Amino acid sequence: MPHFPMDSPDSVRSLPARRSVLGAMAATAASPALLGLSSPASAASAAPVAQPRALPGGGDLGPNVIVFDPSTSGIQAKLDEVFRQQESAQFGTGRYALLFKPGTYNGLNAQLGFYTSIAGLGLSPDDTAINGDVTVDAGWFNGNATQNFWRSAENLALTPVSGTNRWAVAQAAPFRRMHVRGGLNLAPTGYGWASGGYIADSRIDGSVGPYSQQQWYTRDSSVGGWANAVWNMVFSGVQGAPAQSFPNPPYTTLDTTPVSREKPFLYLNGSEYRVFLPERRTNARGTTWGSGTPRGTSLPLTQFYVARPGVTAATLNAALTQGLHLLLTPGIYHLDQPIQVDRAGTVVLGLGYATLIPDNGVTALRTADVDGVRLAGFLIDAGPVNSSTLLEVGATGASASHSANPTTVQDVFIRIGGAGAGKATTSMVINSRHTIIDHTWVWRADHGTGVGWETNRADYGIRVNGDDVLATGLFVEHFNKYDVQWYGQRGRTIFFQNEKAYDAPNQAAIQNGNVKGYAAYKVADSVTTHEGWGLGSYCYYNVDPTIVQHNGFAAPNTPGVKFHDLLVVSLGGQGQYEHVVNETGAPTSGTSTVPSTVVSYP
């Protein structure tokens, strides 16, 4: 995340356990006839094999899912208790989901620290109204919001006390399905440094003030206004968005989002917990809930294996094989084998930043090349033994069309290092066609513990092999080589934020054959059709400020490969770019933290 301030706002910039149907069937004693035995005598001689008991669906959500209703006493005290624990616990082990049943809550200020999610339990944000605030600020870090990661707000209506809610976040901090009956301030108190962020399926009645936020992506929402821009403000399908004007001011505005499908969410139907699965939309604009009940389907919690920290990967896979979906309750899950998702339509949903750690170099999660898998709301933390990959969507060579029912990867975040030494060759590999990557932050840590050029080695961030893949809100940072490699045809990216690795020891360490440095975003020479909008790359080579990066973006020079509104920035002159994309675009200049831009390429 960038670390450079701007001068001023004007210049800057739980539930009863239930048994599933399968579980009930498995619990029924098998008769000799069902076992294929001809008589009691033969049954006795054959000694029937014990059948494994099926895992139950549903169940208690665990101690770190805290559920409130309007009659709950001491809500503010509980919110404050969680915040005190999580405010500065950037690499701690605490994980919390704060859930509010439908109704009205008065006088609350829910301050959110690390690994804390807050959400309403209605079908619409307006079902759960807080007359008060859901606040992220940066007091813990001296007014610097660039490390306000891993927290979220979803499915609530807010009437802020002052008229404006403060949401000063950085990466991996989504603001989804929110209704702000007032304004939204995205900067910390004092307008200190900020570098987030992401809004989707939300309505802000008043104006959004990004102020010191250097880049931001807003999708399928409505806003009452937008106050300013620093380097890279991107909108797709946003009612009330400012007009296209990059680079002055740097607004990139698409009237619609080509394809979108909102993140699954937990809600209450009476006293029954269910998971809502929003439907796919094409050429989307505005929220999914503005006209009442959102469109989609839902699943009862009894169809989910409700996982708790300490469960084994073998148990998670047994639940999947049995036909259950996975709900990962808050906490840390150590894996000695990959979670394997083979069934079409499977949902893997995390609460409160549930975290998967592969301990012995395995891949954390893999899917088969099937329709409609939904992966959402969890963090993958690389283990100390190098994993060749951490997340794989579809098998190598996947070629089936999933245009009508794609796999979605939403608020799935990946980290290598920071909480401890971790290594991975390639973090995320997308093989399935038509996959939608909707908001991810894939981060090789630049601070914390277990950080160093070889200590948390991670050469590649995301590799896209599948055709027709769409990325909406792509944040990928600090990899030793390429941050993004795109091999599939007809790929599209709307908004990309990147920083090259700070800690390269010298020019030789990043030399790419005859090329100075690895591009942040590389489209393979074999690709004939690709398009990107609102893409930015920054360098901050503070170990060796003399390092030169040839470009931020590299792609075949062909009419079908198009980019719109590109920028590169040298932060304080710590390293420089020679070009923006290929050989096009002016170099960055000296110590001036001013973007070099390209409006259209080729």
Side-chain angles (χ1 to χ4, degrees):
M1 55 289 157
H3 292 89
F4 285 79
M6 302 299 145
D7 294 332
S8 70
D10 294 328
S11 68
V12 293
R13 39 168 218 184
S14 86
L15 292 173
R18 296 188 176 101
R19 185 175 300 280
S20 68
V21 173
L22 285 171
M25 291 171 62
T28 303
S31 69
L34 290 173
L35 292 170
L37 304 175
S38 58
S39 68
S42 63
S45 62
V49 177
Q51 300 298 302
R53 182 178 295 274
L55 294 163
D60 189 275
L61 296 177
N64 287 357
V65 176
I66 304 169
V67 181
F68 304 104
D69 66 43
S71 66
T72 303
S73 62
I75 297 177
Q76 187 64 56
K78 189 62 179 180
L79 296 174
D80 293 345
E81 177 190 342
V82 173
F83 179 64
R84 282 193 298 270
Q85 178 180 319
Q86 298 302 114
E87 180 183 11
S88 58
Q90 183 172 177
F91 298 111
T93 58
R95 304 285 188 273
Y96 291 93
L98 310 174
L99 305 183
F100 286 75
K101 294 181 180 181
T104 300
Y105 301 79
N106 294 312
L108 297 181
N109 181 18
Q111 300 181 83
L112 299 188
F114 287 97
Y115 315 108
T116 305
S117 298
I118 188 170
L121 288 169
L123 261 183
S124 165
D126 289 338
D127 294 339
T128 311
I130 293 179
N131 293 316
D133 297 79
V134 172
T135 302
V136 178
D137 207 343
W140 74 277
F141 201 44
N142 300 314
N144 177 353
T146 61
Q147 293 183 23
N148 282 347
F149 314 136
W150 305 306
R151 63 201 76 196
S152 66
E154 300 183 49
N155 206 27
L156 293 165
L158 306 177
T159 304
V161 171
S162 70
T164 300
N165 190 74
R166 186 180 301 278
W167 186 254
V169 298
Q171 291 73 30
F175 197 79
R176 289 185 181 267
R177 294 178 53 78
M178 294 291 287
H179 183 189
V180 181
R181 295 168 173 156
L184 187 64
N185 185 337
L186 303 179
T189 300
Y191 301 98
W193 309 344
S195 71
Y198 175 92
I199 294 171
D201 200 24
S202 294
R203 174 180 168 184
I204 293 89
D205 294 342
S207 184
V208 179
Y211 304 116
S212 54
Q213 288 285 356
Q214 292 150 339
Q215 73 282 321
W216 198 277
Y217 176 51
T218 306
R219 177 182 65 71
D220 300 353
S221 295
S222 78
V223 297
W226 195 273
N228 72 296
V230 178
W231 293 336
N232 189 28
M233 300 282 143
V234 181
F235 308 84
S236 68
V238 179
Q239 298 165 340
Q244 170 71 32
S245 58
F246 187 91
N248 188 26
Y251 294 133
T252 299
T253 303
L254 287 73
D255 189 58
T256 62
T257 304
V259 187
S260 61
R261 189 175 67 191
E262 298 303 329
K263 179 185 172 185
F265 62 92
L266 191 69
Y267 76 104
L268 274 171
N269 180 26
S271 61
E272 178 193 24
Y273 282 80
R274 300 181 69 90
V275 173
F276 193 82
L277 308 177
E279 72 174 12
R280 170 182 165 271
R281 298 199 291 171
T282 58
N283 298 316
R285 181 172 171 83
T287 68
T288 63
W289 50 270
S291 300
T293 303
R295 297 176 65 88
T297 59
S298 70
L299 298 169
L301 197 64
T302 51
Q303 292 184 23
F304 285 77
Y305 178 70
V306 179
R308 303 276 285 272
V311 69
T312 65
T315 299
L316 296 174
N317 284 327
L320 291 167
T321 299
Q322 187 177 301
L324 295 172
H325 306 274
L326 296 182
L327 185 72
L328 306 173
T329 64
I332 295 174
Y333 298 75
H334 287 268
L335 307 174
D336 60 359
Q337 61 180 274
I339 298 172
Q340 184 67 45
V341 178
D342 292 329
R343 190 179 74 258
T346 298
V347 179
V348 181
L349 176 61
L351 300 178
Y353 286 86
T355 301
L356 308 178
I357 302 179
D359 287 327
N360 53 358
V362 301
T363 298
L365 191 149
R366 290 192 179 109
T367 79
D369 186 32
V370 295
D371 274 356
V373 173
R374 304 182 195 228
L375 309 177
F378 56 89
L379 171 65
I380 299 175
D381 210 350
V385 178
N386 186 73
S387 294
S388 60
T389 60
L390 294 172
L391 175 66
E392 296 178 19
V393 177
T396 301
S399 60
S401 174
H402 305 291
S403 59
N405 192 8
T407 286
T408 45
V409 182
Q410 301 177 283
D411 301 348
V412 173
F413 307 118
I414 295 179
R415 178 173 69 193
I416 302 95
K423 294 185 178 183
T425 304
T426 306
S427 292
M428 183 185 296
V429 178
I430 306 295
N431 293 315
S432 287
R433 293 180 61 192
H434 301 102
T435 297
I436 300 172
I437 309 168
D438 176 43
H439 190 226
T440 188
W441 185 38
V442 182
W443 183 56
R444 176 182 167 265
D446 60 279
H447 63 272
T449 59
V451 171
W453 186 248
E454 297 295 343
T455 306
N456 63 328
R457 182 85 193 187
D459 283 351
Y460 309 107
I462 294 180
R463 177 175 175 138
V464 178
N465 296 320
D467 295 340
D468 307 292
V469 171
L470 171 66
T472 52
L474 193 60
F475 300 72
V476 190
E477 297 189 289
H478 303 309
F479 286 84
N480 295 74
K481 294 184 178 179
Y482 290 117
D483 298 277
V484 173
Q485 299 171 285
W486 209 295
Y487 290 86
Q489 298 288 350
R490 298 175 298 280
R492 293 174 290 185
T493 295
I494 305 172
F495 183 89
F496 172 66
Q497 185 270 326
N498 167 262
E499 284 184 339
K500 296 304 300 175
Y502 293 170
D503 56 343
N506 49 51
Q507 187 76 46
I510 63 161
Q511 192 70 15
N512 183 13
N514 296 323
V515 179
K516 299 172 185 175
Y518 292 81
Y521 190 106
K522 166 67 174 174
V523 180
D525 293 343
S526 57
V527 172
T528 58
T529 307
H530 187 91
E531 197 160 8
W533 296 263
L535 314 184
S537 178
Y538 320 147
C539 72
Y540 183 67
Y541 288 118
N542 62 326
V543 175
D544 182 358
T546 69
I547 289 176
V548 175
Q549 178 82 27
H550 184 63
N551 50 35
F553 305 90
N557 188 6
T558 183
V561 177
K562 304 174 184 179
F563 292 104
H564 315 274
D565 302 355
L566 301 178
L567 66 93
V568 296
V569 183
S570 169
L571 302 179
Q574 304 293 296
Q576 302 289 343
Y577 292 90
E578 293 181 324
H579 300 285
V580 180
V581 52
N582 293 347
E583 308 303 313
T584 300
T588 53
S589 53
T591 60
S592 177
T593 305
V594 175
S596 177
T597 62
V598 169
V599 174
S600 183
Y601 183 89

